[in-house]
C-alpha cells in the first residue's frame, strides 16, 4: 500500500480529532473558499467522515462575496469540484457586503459568518469547519499585540464558537499547501492575501517572515501557543469577573467599595461587563473608557462623569458608580 504523505496525514488527523465528539449521522459543513487551507480541510473532512460510512455526512458551503472580478466563477468552480468529489449538500451562498459596518475586510467577514450560520441552520448542520491554520493564529496574535489588544485579542481565534470549529489551528500553512499538492488539488490564490493594502497581508508577507528570519521558525508555533495559553487564563478570569460583578451590584449601579477590593484584572473586567450591560457597544468600548471608570473607583477626587460610547454617562454618587443622564450631570 502506498504511504500517505505526512502533510496529508497531519491534516486528516487534526480533522479527525476536531470531529471526534460528533454523533454518528451528524451533518458537517466545510466552509471552503477554494484556497489551500480550506481545500485541504475539505479533502480531509471528506476522507475522515467517509471512513464512517453511512454515519458520516459532509457538505460544503462556499460564499460569493461579490467583491472581486470572477468571484462568481470561483464559487461555481469550488461547488462543481465539491459535487464531483461527493460532498452533499453543496451550497453557494451569495452575500451583499455593501452597507455592513467596518472596513471592506470586516464587512466581508460579517457577511460570510452570517451566511455560513444561515446555511448551517437551514441544512441542520452540527458543525461548520473553518480552515484557519497555526500561521493564521500567529498572525492574529501579532496583529493583536501591535494594536495593544488585551488578553481577549491575544487569545486569538477560538477552536470552537457556536457551530464553528477550527480543527487546523495546530497545522501549518505549509502542510495544507503540501497536502493539496500531494492530493493533486489546485488551490485558488486569493489576491487579498498578498495585497499590501491589508495589514494581515503585510504581517503574512513581511512582519512574520522577518521575525522568523531573526528569531527562528519556532516563532510561528510559539505565537499560536501563546494564544492558547492566554485564552485559558482569560476564560478563568472572565468567570471570576462574572461572579465578582454579581457581588458588586448595588441598588443604583455598582458598589465602589466592593470594586476597590478586587484585583485590577478582575475590576477592569467587571467594569467592562457593566459598561456593555449599560449598552456600550463592544467594538467601541476602549481601554481608555474602562480606565476612566476605574479611576472613579481607585482615584476618586470628585471628578466629573465618564462618557462611554453610545451616549452613556457614568458618575460616582457617594459610594456607588451609577448611570446618569445628561440633564442630571452637574
Ligand atoms: N468565500 C468563502 N467561502 C467559504 N468559506 C470561506 C470563504 N472565505 C473564507 N472562508 C473560510 O474562512 C477560513 C479563513 O479564511 P481566510 O480567507 O481568512 O484565510 P485563508 O488562510 O486565506 O484560508 P483559505 O486558504 O482557505 O482561503 C477559510 O479557511 C474558510 O474555511
Amino acid at each position: 500500500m502506498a504511504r500517505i504523505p505526512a502533510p496529508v496525514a497531519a491534516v486528516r488527523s487534526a480533522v479527525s480529532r476536531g470531529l471526534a465528539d460528533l454523533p454518528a449521522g451528524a451533518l458537517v459543513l466545510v466552509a471552503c473558499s477554494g484556497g489551500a487551507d480550506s481545500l485541504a480541510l475539505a479533502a480531509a473532512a471528506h476522507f475522515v467522515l467517509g471512513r464512517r460510512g453511512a454515519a458520516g455526512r459532509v457538505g460544503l458551503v462556499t460564499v460569493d462575496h461579490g467583491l472581486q472580478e470572477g468571484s462568481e466563477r470561483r464559487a461555481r468552480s469550488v461547488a462543481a469540484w465539491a459535487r464531483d468529489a461527493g460532498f452533499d449538500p453543496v451550497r453557494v451562498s451569495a452575500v451583499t457586503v455593501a452597507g455592513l459596518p467596518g472596513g471592506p475586510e470586516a464587512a466581508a467577514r460579517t457577511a460570510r459568518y452570517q451566511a455560513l450560520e444561515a446555511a448551517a441552520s437551514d441544512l441542520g448542520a452540527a458543525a461548520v469547519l473553518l480552515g484557519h491554520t497555526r500561521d493564521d493564529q500567529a498572525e492574529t496574535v501579532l496583529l493583536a499585540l501591535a494594536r495593544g489588544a488585551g488578553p481577549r485579542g491575544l487569545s486569538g481565534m477560538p477552536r470552537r464558537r457556536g457551530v464553528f470549529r477550527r480543527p487546523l489551528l495546530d497545522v501549518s500553512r505549509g502542510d495544507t499547501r503540501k497536502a493539496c499538492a500531494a492530493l493533486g488539488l489546485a488551490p485558488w490564490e486569493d489576491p487579498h492575501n498578498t495585497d499590501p493594502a491589508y495589514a494581515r497581508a503585510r504581517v503574512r508577507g513581511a512582519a512574520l517572515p522577518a521575525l522568523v528570519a531573526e528569531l527562528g521558525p519556532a516563532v510561528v508555533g510559539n505565537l499560536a501557543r501563546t494564544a492558547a495559553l492566554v485564552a485559558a487564563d482569560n476564560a478563568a478570569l472572565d468567570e471570576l469577573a462574572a461572579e465578582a460583578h454579581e457581588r458588586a451590584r448595588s441598588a443604583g449601579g455598582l458598589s465602589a467599595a466592593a470594586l476597590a477590593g478586587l484585583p485590577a484584572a478582575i475590576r477592569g473586567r467587571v467594569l467592562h461587563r457593566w459598561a456593555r450591560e449599560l449598552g456600550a457597544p463592544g467594538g467601541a468600548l476602549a481601554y481608555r473608557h474602562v480606565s476612566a471608570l476605574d479611576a472613579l473607583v481607585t482615584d476618586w477626587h470628585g471628578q466629573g462623569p465618564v462618557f462611554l460610547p453610545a451616549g452613556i454617562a457614568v458618575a460616582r454618587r457617594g459610594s456607588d458608580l451609577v448611570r446618569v443622564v445628561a440633564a442630571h450631570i452637574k
Side-chain angles (χ1 to χ4, degrees), residues 31-33 35-38 61-63 65 112 130-132 136 193:
C32 186
S33 63
D37 301 338
S38 51
V61 182
T62 190
V63 178
H65 299 103
R112 178 162 74 243
L130 300 166
H132 295 101
D136 294 309
N193 286 346

Side-chain angles (χ1 to χ4, degrees), residues 30-41 61-65 74 93 109 112-113 116 129-133 136 139 157 166 168 173 176-177 187-188 190 193 200 204:
V30 180
C32 186
S33 63
D37 301 338
S38 51
L39 204 54
L41 171 70
V61 182
T62 190
V63 178
D64 176 7
H65 299 103
R74 178 207 54 78
S93 295
R109 192 179 316 114
R112 178 162 74 243
Y113 281 95
L116 292 171
L129 309 187
L130 300 166
H132 295 101
T133 60
D136 294 309
E139 291 159 13
M157 296 174 282
R166 295 186 172 89
L168 302 188
R173 187 177 295 140
T176 62
R177 292 195 168 272
W188 165 69
D190 183 352
N193 286 346
R200 181 175 287 272
R204 188 176 289 191

Side-chain angles (χ1 to χ4, degrees), residues 104-144:
E105 245 183 319
R109 192 179 316 114
T110 305
R112 178 162 74 243
Y113 281 95
Q114 280 171 359
L116 292 171
E117 261 180 337
S121 123
D122 287 357
L123 300 167
V128 176
L129 309 187
L130 300 166
H132 295 101
T133 60
R134 196 173 70 180
D135 301 65
D136 294 309
Q137 188 72 307
E139 291 159 13
T140 302
V141 173
L142 210 51
L143 281 164

